[in-house]
CSV table of all heavy atoms in Angstrom, one decimal:
chain,number,residue,atom,x,y,z
A,248,PRO,N,15.5,58.1,61.9
A,248,PRO,CA,14.2,57.7,61.4
A,248,PRO,C,14.2,57.6,59.9
A,248,PRO,O,14.9,58.4,59.2
A,248,PRO,CB,13.2,58.8,61.9
A,248,PRO,CG,14.1,60.0,62.1
A,248,PRO,CD,15.5,59.5,62.5
A,249,VAL,N,13.4,56.7,59.4
A,249,VAL,CA,13.4,56.4,57.9
A,249,VAL,C,11.9,56.3,57.5
A,249,VAL,O,11.1,55.7,58.2
A,249,VAL,CB,14.2,55.1,57.6
A,249,VAL,CG1,14.0,54.8,56.1
A,249,VAL,CG2,15.7,55.3,57.9
A,250,VAL,N,11.6,56.8,56.3
A,250,VAL,CA,10.3,56.5,55.7
A,250,VAL,C,10.5,55.9,54.4
A,250,VAL,O,11.4,56.2,53.6
A,250,VAL,CB,9.5,57.9,55.5
A,250,VAL,CG1,9.1,58.5,56.8
A,250,VAL,CG2,10.3,58.9,54.6
A,251,ARG,N,9.8,54.8,54.2
A,251,ARG,CA,9.9,54.0,53.0
A,251,ARG,C,8.8,54.3,52.0
A,251,ARG,O,7.7,54.3,52.4
A,251,ARG,CB,10.0,52.5,53.3
A,251,ARG,CG,11.2,52.1,54.1
A,251,ARG,CD,11.3,50.7,54.4
A,251,ARG,NE,12.5,50.3,55.1
A,251,ARG,CZ,13.7,50.1,54.6
A,251,ARG,NH1,13.7,50.1,53.2
A,251,ARG,NH2,14.7,49.8,55.3
A,252,MET,N,9.2,54.5,50.7
A,252,MET,CA,8.2,54.8,49.7
A,252,MET,C,8.4,54.0,48.4
A,252,MET,O,9.6,53.7,48.2
A,252,MET,CB,8.3,56.3,49.3
A,252,MET,CG,8.1,57.3,50.5
A,252,MET,SD,8.4,59.0,50.1
A,252,MET,CE,7.1,59.2,48.9
A,253,HIS,N,7.4,53.8,47.7
A,253,HIS,CA,7.5,53.2,46.4
A,253,HIS,C,8.2,54.2,45.4
A,253,HIS,O,8.1,55.4,45.6
A,253,HIS,CB,6.2,52.8,45.8
A,253,HIS,CG,6.2,52.0,44.6
A,253,HIS,ND1,6.3,52.6,43.3
A,253,HIS,CD2,6.2,50.7,44.4
A,253,HIS,CE1,6.4,51.6,42.4
A,253,HIS,NE2,6.3,50.4,43.0
A,254,PRO,N,9.1,53.7,44.5
A,254,PRO,CA,9.8,54.6,43.6
A,254,PRO,C,8.9,55.6,42.9
A,254,PRO,O,9.3,56.7,42.7
A,254,PRO,CB,10.5,53.6,42.6
A,254,PRO,CG,10.6,52.4,43.4
A,254,PRO,CD,9.4,52.3,44.3
A,255,ASP,N,7.7,55.1,42.4
A,255,ASP,CA,6.8,56.0,41.7
A,255,ASP,C,6.3,57.2,42.6
A,255,ASP,O,6.3,58.3,42.2
A,255,ASP,CB,5.5,55.3,41.2
A,255,ASP,CG,5.9,54.3,40.2
A,255,ASP,OD1,7.1,54.3,39.6
A,255,ASP,OD2,5.0,53.4,39.9
A,256,ASP,N,6.1,56.9,43.9
A,256,ASP,CA,5.6,57.9,44.9
A,256,ASP,C,6.8,58.9,45.2
A,256,ASP,O,6.6,60.1,45.3
A,256,ASP,CB,5.1,57.3,46.1
A,256,ASP,CG,3.7,56.6,45.9
A,256,ASP,OD1,3.0,57.0,45.0
A,256,ASP,OD2,3.5,55.6,46.6
A,257,ALA,N,8.0,58.4,45.3
A,257,ALA,CA,9.1,59.2,45.6
A,257,ALA,C,9.3,60.2,44.4
A,257,ALA,O,9.6,61.3,44.6
A,257,ALA,CB,10.3,58.4,45.8
A,258,HIS,N,9.3,59.7,43.2
A,258,HIS,CA,9.4,60.5,42.0
A,258,HIS,C,8.4,61.6,42.0
A,258,HIS,O,8.7,62.8,41.7
A,258,HIS,CB,9.4,59.6,40.8
A,258,HIS,CG,9.5,60.5,39.5
A,258,HIS,ND1,10.7,61.0,39.1
A,258,HIS,CD2,8.6,60.8,38.6
A,258,HIS,CE1,10.5,61.7,37.9
A,258,HIS,NE2,9.2,61.5,37.6
A,259,ALA,N,7.1,61.2,42.2
A,259,ALA,CA,6.0,62.2,42.2
A,259,ALA,C,6.2,63.2,43.3
A,259,ALA,O,5.8,64.4,43.1
A,259,ALA,CB,4.7,61.5,42.4
A,260,ALA,N,6.8,62.8,44.5
A,260,ALA,CA,7.0,63.8,45.5
A,260,ALA,C,8.2,64.6,45.4
A,260,ALA,O,8.4,65.6,46.1
A,260,ALA,CB,7.0,63.1,46.9
A,261,GLY,N,9.0,64.3,44.4
A,261,GLY,CA,10.3,65.0,44.2
A,261,GLY,C,11.4,64.8,45.2
A,261,GLY,O,12.2,65.6,45.5
A,262,VAL,N,11.4,63.5,45.7
A,262,VAL,CA,12.4,63.2,46.7
A,262,VAL,C,13.2,61.9,46.2
A,262,VAL,O,12.7,61.2,45.4
A,262,VAL,CB,11.8,62.8,48.1
A,262,VAL,CG1,11.2,64.1,48.7
A,262,VAL,CG2,10.8,61.7,48.0
A,263,THR,N,14.4,61.8,46.6
A,263,THR,CA,15.2,60.7,46.2
A,263,THR,C,15.7,59.9,47.3
A,263,THR,O,15.7,60.3,48.5
A,263,THR,CB,16.5,61.2,45.4
A,263,THR,OG1,17.2,62.1,46.3
A,263,THR,CG2,16.0,62.0,44.2
A,264,ASP,N,16.2,58.7,47.0
A,264,ASP,CA,16.7,57.8,48.0
A,264,ASP,C,17.8,58.4,48.8
A,264,ASP,O,18.8,58.9,48.3
A,264,ASP,CB,17.2,56.5,47.4
A,264,ASP,CG,17.5,55.4,48.4
A,264,ASP,OD1,16.6,54.9,49.0
A,264,ASP,OD2,18.7,55.1,48.6
A,265,GLY,N,17.7,58.3,50.2
A,265,GLY,CA,18.8,58.9,51.1
A,265,GLY,C,18.6,60.4,51.3
A,265,GLY,O,19.4,60.9,52.2
A,266,GLU,N,17.6,61.0,50.7
A,266,GLU,CA,17.3,62.4,51.0
A,266,GLU,C,16.5,62.6,52.2
A,266,GLU,O,15.6,61.8,52.5
A,266,GLU,CB,16.7,63.0,49.8
A,266,GLU,CG,16.5,64.5,49.8
A,266,GLU,CD,15.8,65.1,48.6
A,266,GLU,OE1,15.3,64.3,47.7
A,266,GLU,OE2,15.8,66.3,48.4
A,267,SER,N,16.7,63.7,52.9
A,267,SER,CA,15.8,64.1,54.0
A,267,SER,C,14.5,64.7,53.5
A,267,SER,O,14.5,65.4,52.6
A,267,SER,CB,16.5,65.1,54.9
A,267,SER,OG,15.7,65.5,56.0
A,268,ALA,N,13.4,64.2,54.1
A,268,ALA,CA,12.1,64.6,53.7
A,268,ALA,C,11.2,64.9,54.9
A,268,ALA,O,11.5,64.4,56.0
A,268,ALA,CB,11.4,63.5,52.8
A,269,THR,N,10.2,65.7,54.7
A,269,THR,CA,9.3,66.0,55.8
A,269,THR,C,7.9,65.3,55.5
A,269,THR,O,7.4,65.5,54.4
A,269,THR,CB,9.0,67.5,55.9
A,269,THR,OG1,10.3,68.2,56.2
A,269,THR,CG2,8.0,67.9,57.0
A,270,VAL,N,7.5,64.6,56.5
A,270,VAL,CA,6.1,63.9,56.4
A,270,VAL,C,5.2,64.7,57.2
A,270,VAL,O,5.4,64.9,58.4
A,270,VAL,CB,6.2,62.5,56.8
A,270,VAL,CG1,4.9,61.8,56.7
A,270,VAL,CG2,7.3,61.7,56.1
A,271,THR,N,4.1,65.2,56.6
A,271,THR,CA,3.1,66.1,57.3
A,271,THR,C,1.7,65.4,57.2
A,271,THR,O,1.3,64.9,56.2
A,271,THR,CB,3.1,67.4,56.5
A,271,THR,OG1,4.4,68.0,56.5
A,271,THR,CG2,2.2,68.4,57.3
A,272,SER,N,1.1,65.5,58.3
A,272,SER,CA,-0.4,65.1,58.4
A,272,SER,C,-1.2,66.4,59.0
A,272,SER,O,-0.6,67.4,59.2
A,272,SER,CB,-0.5,64.0,59.4
A,272,SER,OG,-0.4,64.3,60.7
A,273,ALA,N,-2.4,66.1,59.2
A,273,ALA,CA,-3.3,67.2,59.7
A,273,ALA,C,-2.9,67.6,61.2
A,273,ALA,O,-3.3,68.6,61.7
A,273,ALA,CB,-4.7,66.9,59.6
A,274,HIS,N,-2.1,66.7,61.8
A,274,HIS,CA,-1.8,66.9,63.3
A,274,HIS,C,-0.4,67.3,63.6
A,274,HIS,O,-0.1,67.6,64.7
A,274,HIS,CB,-2.2,65.6,64.0
A,274,HIS,CG,-3.5,65.0,63.6
A,274,HIS,ND1,-4.7,65.7,63.9
A,274,HIS,CD2,-3.9,63.9,63.0
A,274,HIS,CE1,-5.7,65.0,63.5
A,274,HIS,NE2,-5.2,63.9,62.9
A,275,GLY,N,0.5,67.1,62.6
A,275,GLY,CA,1.9,67.4,62.9
A,275,GLY,C,2.8,66.9,61.7
A,275,GLY,O,2.4,66.6,60.7
A,276,ARG,N,4.1,66.9,62.1
A,276,ARG,CA,5.1,66.5,61.0
A,276,ARG,C,6.3,65.9,61.6
A,276,ARG,O,6.6,66.1,62.8
A,276,ARG,CB,5.5,67.8,60.2
A,276,ARG,CG,6.2,68.9,61.0
A,276,ARG,CD,6.5,70.0,60.1
A,276,ARG,NE,5.3,70.6,59.5
A,276,ARG,CZ,5.3,71.4,58.5
A,276,ARG,NH1,6.5,71.9,58.0
A,276,ARG,NH2,4.2,71.9,58.0
A,277,ILE,N,7.0,65.1,60.8
A,277,ILE,CA,8.3,64.5,61.2
A,277,ILE,C,9.3,64.7,60.1
A,277,ILE,O,8.8,64.8,58.9
A,277,ILE,CB,8.2,63.0,61.6
A,277,ILE,CG1,7.7,62.2,60.4
A,277,ILE,CG2,7.3,62.9,62.8
A,277,ILE,CD1,7.8,60.7,60.7
A,278,THR,N,10.5,64.6,60.4
A,278,THR,CA,11.6,64.7,59.3
A,278,THR,C,12.3,63.3,59.4
A,278,THR,O,12.7,62.9,60.5
A,278,THR,CB,12.6,65.8,59.6
A,278,THR,OG1,11.9,67.0,59.6
A,278,THR,CG2,13.7,65.8,58.6
A,279,ALA,N,12.5,62.7,58.2
A,279,ALA,CA,13.1,61.4,58.2
A,279,ALA,C,13.9,61.3,56.9
A,279,ALA,O,13.7,62.0,55.9
A,279,ALA,CB,12.1,60.3,58.3
A,280,THR,N,14.7,60.3,56.8
A,280,THR,CA,15.4,59.9,55.6
A,280,THR,C,14.6,59.0,54.7
A,280,THR,O,14.0,58.1,55.1
A,280,THR,CB,16.7,59.2,55.9
A,280,THR,OG1,17.5,60.1,56.7
A,280,THR,CG2,17.5,58.9,54.6
A,281,VAL,N,14.5,59.3,53.4
A,281,VAL,CA,13.7,58.6,52.4
A,281,VAL,C,14.5,57.3,52.0
A,281,VAL,O,15.7,57.3,51.8
A,281,VAL,CB,13.4,59.4,51.2
A,281,VAL,CG1,12.7,58.5,50.1
A,281,VAL,CG2,12.6,60.6,51.5
A,282,ALA,N,13.8,56.2,52.1
A,282,ALA,CA,14.3,54.9,51.6
A,282,ALA,C,13.3,54.5,50.4
A,282,ALA,O,12.2,54.1,50.7
A,282,ALA,CB,14.4,53.8,52.6
A,283,VAL,N,13.9,54.6,49.2
A,283,VAL,CA,13.0,54.1,48.0
A,283,VAL,C,13.0,52.6,48.1
A,283,VAL,O,14.0,51.9,48.0
A,283,VAL,CB,13.6,54.7,46.7
A,283,VAL,CG1,12.8,54.1,45.5
A,283,VAL,CG2,13.6,56.2,46.8
A,284,ASP,N,11.7,52.1,48.1
A,284,ASP,CA,11.6,50.6,48.3
A,284,ASP,C,10.5,50.1,47.4
A,284,ASP,O,9.3,50.4,47.7
A,284,ASP,CB,11.3,50.3,49.8
A,284,ASP,CG,11.2,48.9,50.1
A,284,ASP,OD1,11.2,48.0,49.2
A,284,ASP,OD2,11.2,48.5,51.3
A,285,PRO,N,10.8,49.4,46.4
A,285,PRO,CA,9.7,48.8,45.5
A,285,PRO,C,8.8,47.9,46.2
A,285,PRO,O,7.7,47.6,45.6
A,285,PRO,CB,10.5,48.2,44.4
A,285,PRO,CG,11.8,47.9,44.9
A,285,PRO,CD,12.1,49.0,45.9
A,286,SER,N,9.1,47.3,47.3
A,286,SER,CA,8.2,46.4,48.0
A,286,SER,C,7.1,47.1,48.8
A,286,SER,O,6.1,46.5,49.2
A,286,SER,CB,9.0,45.6,49.0
A,286,SER,OG,9.5,46.3,50.1
A,287,VAL,N,7.2,48.5,48.9
A,287,VAL,CA,6.1,49.2,49.5
A,287,VAL,C,5.0,49.5,48.5
A,287,VAL,O,5.4,49.9,47.4
A,287,VAL,CB,6.7,50.6,50.1
A,287,VAL,CG1,5.5,51.4,50.7
A,287,VAL,CG2,7.7,50.3,51.2
A,288,ARG,N,3.8,49.3,48.9
A,288,ARG,CA,2.7,49.5,48.0
A,288,ARG,C,2.6,51.0,47.5
A,288,ARG,O,2.9,51.9,48.3
A,288,ARG,CB,1.4,49.1,48.7
A,288,ARG,CG,0.2,49.2,47.8
A,288,ARG,CD,-1.0,48.6,48.5
A,288,ARG,NE,-2.2,48.7,47.7
A,288,ARG,CZ,-3.4,48.2,48.1
A,288,ARG,NH1,-3.5,47.4,49.1
A,288,ARG,NH2,-4.5,48.3,47.3
A,289,VAL,N,2.3,51.2,46.3
A,289,VAL,CA,2.0,52.5,45.7
A,289,VAL,C,0.9,53.2,46.6
A,289,VAL,O,-0.1,52.6,46.9
A,289,VAL,CB,1.6,52.5,44.3
A,289,VAL,CG1,1.2,53.9,43.8
A,289,VAL,CG2,2.8,51.9,43.4
A,290,GLY,N,1.2,54.5,47.0
A,290,GLY,CA,0.3,55.2,47.8
A,290,GLY,C,0.5,55.1,49.3
A,290,GLY,O,-0.2,55.8,50.1
A,291,ALA,N,1.4,54.3,49.7
A,291,ALA,CA,1.7,54.1,51.2
A,291,ALA,C,3.1,54.7,51.5
A,291,ALA,O,4.0,54.6,50.8
A,291,ALA,CB,1.7,52.6,51.5
A,292,VAL,N,3.1,55.3,52.7
A,292,VAL,CA,4.4,55.7,53.3
A,292,VAL,C,4.6,55.0,54.6
A,292,VAL,O,3.8,55.0,55.5
A,292,VAL,CB,4.3,57.2,53.6
A,292,VAL,CG1,5.6,57.7,54.4
A,292,VAL,CG2,4.2,58.1,52.3
């Protein structure tokens, strides 16, 4: 599994391209590899 993020959001979250990250919501969480992608809108995962 991969999550794509804008470079600004990845920097703010303290994660880097290719690093394992945890995505958490109010209902649960998943673990995935970060893909830094400038085509993803700022604020979106």
Side-chain angles (χ1 to χ4, degrees):
V249 174
V250 292
R251 295 182 176 274
M252 305 174 62
H253 188 275
D255 294 349
D256 290 329
H258 178 75
V262 295
T263 59
D264 188 71
E266 183 178 12
S267 178
T269 300
V270 183
T271 306
S272 74
H274 313 294
R276 64 182 58 194
I277 62 172
T278 300
T280 301
V281 174
V283 175
D284 185 349
S286 69
V287 176
R288 182 173 177 172
V289 173
V292 175

